[in-house]
Amino acid sequence: MNKTFRTRLLLPVLAAMLAAPLPAAAQQAVKWKLLTSWAAGTLPQKLVEQFGEKVKAMSGGRLLIEVLPAGSVVAPAESLDALSAGVIDAQQGGTAYFVTKDAAFSVLGDLQGAWDNPLQAWGWLEQGGGLALARELYAKYNAHFVTGVWYGTESLVSKKALRSLADFKGLKIRAPVGMGQDIFKALGAAPVNLPGSEVYTALERGVVDASDWGTLSMNQELGYHKLARYPAYPGFHSMPMNDVAVNARKWAALPDDLKAVVEAAARDLCREMVQRHLVDDLRVAREAKALGFEPVDLPLAERQKFRELARGVWAQYAGRSPMARRMHDSQLAWLRQLGLLQ
């Protein structure tokens, strides 16, 4: 076989080899920086870090996510701006933090008093039309909403037992500006806007008598029950949804199989968040007496009164933008399907 003939035989083989995709290990990895709204070392932050490790394993190392704690790049309320501008590639942020951009973020992120447990809200997102609305909202800010992530129902901590809505009258309660503060005002409470870092000192000095913060176990970890011995448990007033969101350009550039990896790992993150906090909350509730505090459960009839009162505030937020109205109406339709509203 002469040299020219051998060359002619080999050319198609070489062309096919050059056209074939490189093995996964040989491809250059995509690298993202993901900013969270969680402090370093906390359980939620550790779970998001595990999400990053899971994406790495599931993608065969083709997508690497560096998980950064709250405040390491920008403040939590500014993360969507950073995401939109490409300063960060992804976020696991508090959706309701972005209410100043559109009231729809508050309606999406924490329709306060609406839900009894995360599964109900997750059902709306995935089966009740919420996901399409969330993605439409985020697209306006050059971001792709992957999914929502809940961590459980929050537990109000209080120096006096809150056994009925009447007990809120005159109560000095720490609550961030937004829907929650407006609902507490409607209850006759006196909300005080303080950063989370000042809650312990404010309780200690009597600046506030109660605080809206995290779940039972989150509050115990921060030592709040030493000062406010009557936490609401199970909680009833707030069940925030955080997001997993990606810069729109970075998401569009991702191959479909890696998009599927991120979506699957994000849904698993939500499951982990809910289950791990549920287990920790149950443990703390069992140990309450030994730890020196008394969980107080608001009766079912009072919970329903709270939901009905909160509806008035929901309607106010719904009137602030067309998207807020659509979010509101969609969730109310789902709540009626669940039998939580008439």
Side-chain angles (χ1 to χ4, degrees):
M1 185 181 293
N2 62 44
K3 183 177 180 181
T4 301
F5 187 66
R6 286 199 305 271
T7 301
R8 288 175 180 172
L9 286 175
L10 289 171
L11 280 174
V13 177
L14 290 170
M17 291 174 64
L18 290 171
L22 290 171
Q27 294 181 13
Q28 187 172 7
V30 177
K31 296 181 180 180
W32 284 354
K33 291 185 182 295
L34 182 152
L35 180 65
T36 79
S37 58
W38 306 111
T42 60
L43 173 60
Q45 179 68 9
K46 291 176 183 177
L47 293 178
V48 184
E49 290 167 358
Q50 289 176 21
F51 159 78
E53 291 299 317
K54 188 168 293 185
V55 168
K56 177 182 177 181
M58 292 171 68
S59 69
R62 293 164 57 206
L63 178 56
L64 306 177
I65 299 178
E66 181 184 359
V67 177
L68 306 170
S72 59
V73 181
V74 294
E78 299 169 350
S79 66
L80 185 59
D81 289 332
L83 184 68
S84 179
V87 175
I88 55 175
D89 306 303
Q91 70 175 21
Q92 211 275 300
T95 311
Y97 287 156
F98 316 129
V99 64
T100 56
K101 298 184 179 300
D102 191 318
F105 282 106
S106 187
V107 179
L108 170 66
D110 194 2
L111 195 67
Q112 298 209 6
W115 315 105
D116 291 329
N117 59 69
L119 191 59
Q120 294 169 342
W122 199 356
W124 168 72
L125 188 74
E126 296 202 333
Q127 307 299 326
L131 188 59
L133 289 171
R135 288 180 175 172
E136 183 179 342
L137 174 62
Y138 273 68
K140 296 177 182 179
Y141 301 92
N142 193 35
H144 175 76
F145 178 92
V146 178
T147 193
V149 178
W150 291 263
Y151 52 85
T153 307
E154 293 195 336
S155 168
L156 291 172
V157 291
S158 178
K159 292 182 179 180
K160 74 170 187 176
L162 302 173
R163 303 188 191 278
S164 72
L165 297 190
D167 292 328
F168 282 86
K169 291 190 181 300
L171 186 73
K172 293 183 295 182
I173 182 169
R174 180 267 174 186
V177 173
M179 187 179 291
Q181 193 169 107
D182 292 341
I183 292 173
F184 288 133
K185 287 178 181 177
L187 285 169
V192 179
N193 184 28
L194 292 171
S197 58
E198 296 180 18
V199 171
Y200 189 94
T201 303
L203 286 168
E204 189 175 40
R205 295 179 178 176
V207 175
V208 295
D209 299 313
S211 179
D212 171 11
W213 181 249
T215 69
L216 188 74
S217 55
M218 287 176 174
N219 292 334
Q220 175 62 22
E221 186 177 23
L222 293 169
Y224 293 163
H225 299 145
K226 296 176 184 177
L227 305 171
R229 297 182 54 251
Y230 299 98
Y233 180 77
F236 61 92
H237 78 292
S238 175
M239 197 181 66
M241 181 193 76
N242 280 27
D243 61 22
V244 174
V246 180
N247 173 277
R249 184 174 60 82
K250 295 296 179 70
W251 182 259
L254 208 61
D256 287 345
D257 64 324
L258 291 187
K259 289 177 181 175
V261 164
V262 174
E263 289 170 343
R267 286 193 296 270
D268 205 37
L269 170 63
C270 181
R271 179 191 59 77
E272 280 279 316
M273 280 280 194
V274 171
Q275 292 184 358
R276 290 287 297 277
H277 284 99
L278 174 64
V279 169
D280 280 2
D281 288 351
L282 289 169
R283 174 183 53 79
V284 171
R286 286 196 304 269
E287 297 172 356
K289 187 174 181 180
L291 293 170
F293 67 90
E294 178 190 344
V296 177
D297 187 10
L298 198 69
L300 183 60
E302 293 296 298
R303 287 168 174 265
Q304 192 59 34
K305 287 181 187 176
F306 183 88
R307 183 175 285 125
E308 292 298 332
L309 181 142
R311 284 183 71 174
V313 178
W314 304 345
Q316 293 172 21
Y317 277 73
R320 295 181 183 178
S321 79
M323 179 56 81
R325 170 62 63 188
R326 292 168 64 195
M327 292 276 189
H328 170 271
D329 293 352
S330 177
Q331 290 186 73
L332 258 62
W334 187 253
L335 285 163
R336 290 188 184 101
Q337 287 192 52
L338 297 176
L340 295 174
L341 287 180
Q342 298 301 315

